[in-house]
Amino acid sequence: MDSKNSLQMYALVSASAASSEVVETVKKVISTYGRRIRNGFILTPHGFDEIVFFEIKQKGGPIVETLTALVRIYPWLYPMYVIQENKDHLPKYPISSSSRWWMVDEVKFQIPNMDEEKTKDFMKRYIDLLKRIYRQESVFVKSFIYLGKSGTVHVMSFNSERPIKFRGGMLGVPEWNEAMDKILAALGGEVEEVQKMAVRFTNIDE
C-alpha cells in the first residue's frame, strides 16, 4: 500500500478466530492474485482484532469468488472485505453470489517513523479516540491499520456501516465524514499523506 505505487485493490481477511495453519493456507491461495501481504488490525470503539491485508494486482481476477469459497470452507474467517480504488479493475464474481459492490467514502493516511512499540501505543490512543467519537457523535468508525516495512503505519477507514433505517440503497451515514475530520484533527501533526476518495467496497457474507 505504498503511496508511490498507487494501490488498485486490496482484500482484508479476518485472522482473529482462525488457526495459524488456516491463515497460512489462505495466504497461499490469495497470494496468486497479489504480491504484498501484511498483518494488521481492525480498530473499533470496542477494541481490536487481527486482520491480513492482501494487495490485489491481477486485473479481472476472480478474487471475490476465491474469498467466497474460502469462507465456505473456513466460516470463522468472516468478515472479509475487498476494496477497489480503480474503476477499471473490477474483478469477476458470480451473479449468484450474495456479495454486492457498493460505492463508499474512504479516508486513508500514514504515520511515519513508527515501530512495533510505537504502533501499539498509537492503537491504544486511536481506540480511545474512536470511543470518544462514538460517545459524542454517535458515529461508529472502523479503521484498518498495518505497520509497513518502511516503518510507516497505514490507516484506512470506510463509510460502510449500515444505518439504522437501512433499506438496501446506500451504505454509510452522513455524519461519518465529519467524524473522520475530527479524528484527523485530533491526531494533528502525526498524520501524513491524507487521501479521501470514493471506492468500491464489498464484504463476503456467504
Side-chain angles (χ1 to χ4, degrees):
M1 293 69 174
D2 188 343
S3 61
K4 295 179 181 178
N5 182 15
S6 183
L7 173 67
Q8 291 185 309
M9 176 180 293
Y10 43 103
L12 309 172
V13 177
S14 173
S16 59
S19 67
S20 58
E21 290 82 8
V22 168
V23 172
E24 288 305 312
T25 297
V26 173
K27 286 182 178 180
K28 288 178 182 178
V29 172
I30 302 181
S31 63
T32 305
Y33 305 102
R35 62 179 187 177
R36 289 191 180 94
I37 299 175
R38 300 282 186 267
N39 295 317
F41 302 93
I42 307 174
L43 307 184
T44 74
H46 306 311
F48 68 90
D49 282 308
E50 296 177 22
I51 200 164
V52 182
F53 292 77
F54 295 86
E55 184 173 353
I56 309 300
K57 285 294 185 182
Q58 182 177 332
K59 186 172 182 178
I63 187 63
V64 174
E65 289 182 276
T66 301
L67 291 175
T68 300
L70 286 169
V71 168
R72 287 172 176 167
I73 298 170
Y74 310 113
W76 51 87
L77 285 172
Y78 179 83
M80 289 184 175
Y81 309 91
V82 179
I83 292 85
Q84 173 200 331
E85 295 181 349
N86 185 314
K87 293 181 180 179
D88 297 326
H89 200 63
L90 186 65
K92 298 175 182 178
Y93 66 102
I95 296 175
S96 60
S97 172
S98 62
S99 301
R100 174 177 174 181
W101 288 98
W102 308 87
M103 291 302 298
V104 303
D105 290 330
E106 176 188 16
V107 173
K108 64 180 181 179
F109 58 87
Q110 301 176 5
I111 299 180
N113 305 315
M114 300 287 277
D115 56 24
E116 289 189 9
E117 287 303 314
K118 289 180 181 178
T119 301
K120 289 178 182 178
D121 175 67
F122 168 76
M123 287 172 58
K124 292 177 182 177
R125 292 187 291 110
Y126 193 81
I127 289 170
D128 287 341
L129 180 56
L130 296 184
K131 289 179 181 177
R132 188 164 78 243
I133 290 291
Y134 186 62
R135 287 196 304 266
Q136 296 177 355
E137 311 295 335
S138 298
V139 178
F140 185 90
V141 174
K142 178 191 300 179
S143 297
F144 304 87
I145 82 162
Y146 73 91
L147 175 63
K149 291 184 177 180
S150 63
T152 296
V153 167
H154 300 256
V155 184
M156 287 149 275
S157 307
F158 308 95
N159 188 10
S160 60
E161 296 301 310
R162 286 171 168 79
I164 295 174
K165 295 183 179 180
F166 180 73
R167 293 293 182 270
M170 289 186 63
L171 293 184
V173 295
E175 302 85 4
W176 185 86
N177 285 289
E178 184 178 349
M180 288 305 306
D181 287 341
K182 290 182 179 181
I183 289 172
L184 291 171
L187 294 174
E190 292 182 79
V191 173
E192 293 184 358
E193 302 287 341
V194 177
Q195 296 183 57
K196 300 180 179 182
M197 67 189 82
V199 299
R200 284 193 177 104
F201 171 99
T202 189
N203 64 300
I204 312 302
D205 54 4
E206 291 289 334

